[in-house]
Amino acid sequence: AQSVTQLDSHVSVSEGTPVLLRCNYSSSYSPSLFWYVQHPNKGLQLLLKYTSAATLVKGINGFEAEFKKSETSFHLTKPSAHMSDAAEYFCVVSDVASYDKVIFGPGTSLSVIP
Amino acid sequence: DAGITQSPRYKITETGRQVTLMCHQTWSHSYMFWYRQDLGHGLRLIYYSAAADITDKGEVPDGYVVSRSKTENFPLTLESATRSQTSVYFCASRDRAGNQPQHFGDGTRLSIL
């Protein structure tokens, strides 16, 4: 069965410092993995996706994530946080067994301190 | 503009009333989904549809009805609203290819008094 764990419910960083949001997954098959961002009163916006191509995936707004099969991880990083990065971030997994439905992580709230 | 549109954005109604939330997408995506988002529960799937006239239950379908007579529309109806259905509702769509991401609308904030 699929599952997603986001190890931190809340992360706080200073503006200009690196961001690391952690995600671990469980899947019986080769997974597809996604990171979404949700700003207040908005829908979820796709940041990046991994679908069995390059393991280092670059997304929008300077975010990237690395798929590590041995660690079953898909952590999201950004070299330098910006105030506009403050939002909720969701890690999502799907696989061939259940492409009809995906599994959302519980979310990580990112705060950026000026 | 292409995209996915939800209406209304905000709705207040009373218990026992019927309310319908609308979702329209312009991509001709095969799949459409309805989620509710609540504090402490994250996103939960209510119903989804793989194509016109094909719908299936998600994790929390009780009290909701969906239909999909046209590919681009996927309305969600609360037949007799209850306070526990106060939530933010999101519609999403996805291309047929299984490994593609879902695209989300901006949500409907529904309050039931």
Side-chain angles (χ1 to χ4, degrees):
Chain A
Q2 301 165 308
S3 67
V4 178
T5 303
Q6 292 184 242
L7 294 137
D8 305 294
S9 59
H10 185 258
V11 170
S12 183
V13 301
S14 296
E15 189 176 19
T17 65
V19 176
L20 170 64
L21 305 182
R22 298 181 292 167
C23 172
N24 285 92
Y25 70 91
S26 173
S27 173
S28 301
Y29 304 90
S30 295
S32 294
L33 293 156
F34 311 92
W35 275 100
Y36 286 85
V37 61
Q38 184 181 29
H39 291 279
N41 298 316
K42 287 289 190 180
L44 279 69
Q45 179 186 15
L46 181 68
L47 276 178
L48 49 81
K49 64 179 182 180
Y50 167 78
T51 55
S52 77
T55 56
L56 182 61
V57 181
K58 293 189 184 299
I60 62 171
N61 301 334
F63 284 95
E64 63 182 38
E66 186 171 8
F67 173 70
K68 292 187 176 180
K69 186 176 180 179
S70 61
E71 298 176 11
T72 61
S73 69
F74 191 57
H75 301 335
L76 181 71
T77 60
K78 183 173 180 178
S80 177
H82 191 272
M83 294 299 294
S84 61
D85 295 327
E88 191 84 13
Y89 291 80
F90 294 92
C91 182
V92 178
V93 64
S94 71
D95 64 34
V96 67
S98 60
Y99 275 144
D100 286 358
K101 292 175 279 188
V102 299
I103 304 298
F104 286 84
T108 298
S109 176
L110 176 66
S111 298
V112 182
I113 304 166
Chain B
D1 288 346
I4 185 163
T5 306
Q6 292 185 237
S7 61
R9 289 295 316 278
Y10 303 92
K11 176 75 176 178
I12 300 173
T13 191
E14 296 175 341
T15 56
R17 295 278 182 107
Q18 181 181 84
V19 59
T20 296
L21 310 184
M22 304 301 293
C23 180
H24 175 79
Q25 53 105 354
T26 59
W27 290 300
S28 297
H29 283 166
S30 297
Y31 281 84
M32 295 187 76
F33 306 83
W34 274 107
Y35 295 90
R36 59 179 291 174
Q37 186 176 34
D38 306 284
L39 276 174
H41 291 280
L43 277 147
R44 292 182 289 176
L45 181 65
I46 304 170
Y47 270 96
Y48 69 102
S49 168
D53 297 323
I54 300 174
T55 62
D56 210 343
K57 295 178 181 179
E59 182 184 355
V60 289
D62 292 343
Y64 302 95
V65 175
V66 294
S67 61
R68 187 128 180 249
S69 57
K70 292 184 177 181
T71 299
E72 61 267 30
N73 296 324
F74 191 40
L76 175 75
T77 298
L78 289 66
E79 292 191 302
S80 179
T82 66
R83 288 197 181 92
S84 66
Q85 293 176 308
T86 292
S87 185
V88 182
Y89 290 85
F90 289 99
C91 180
S93 70
R94 197 203 81 204
D95 192 18
R96 180 179 298 278
N99 62 357
Q100 292 305 303
Q102 296 181 18
H103 299 272
F104 285 80
D106 281 338
T108 294
R109 186 174 295 272
L110 177 64
S111 296
I112 300 166
L113 307 177

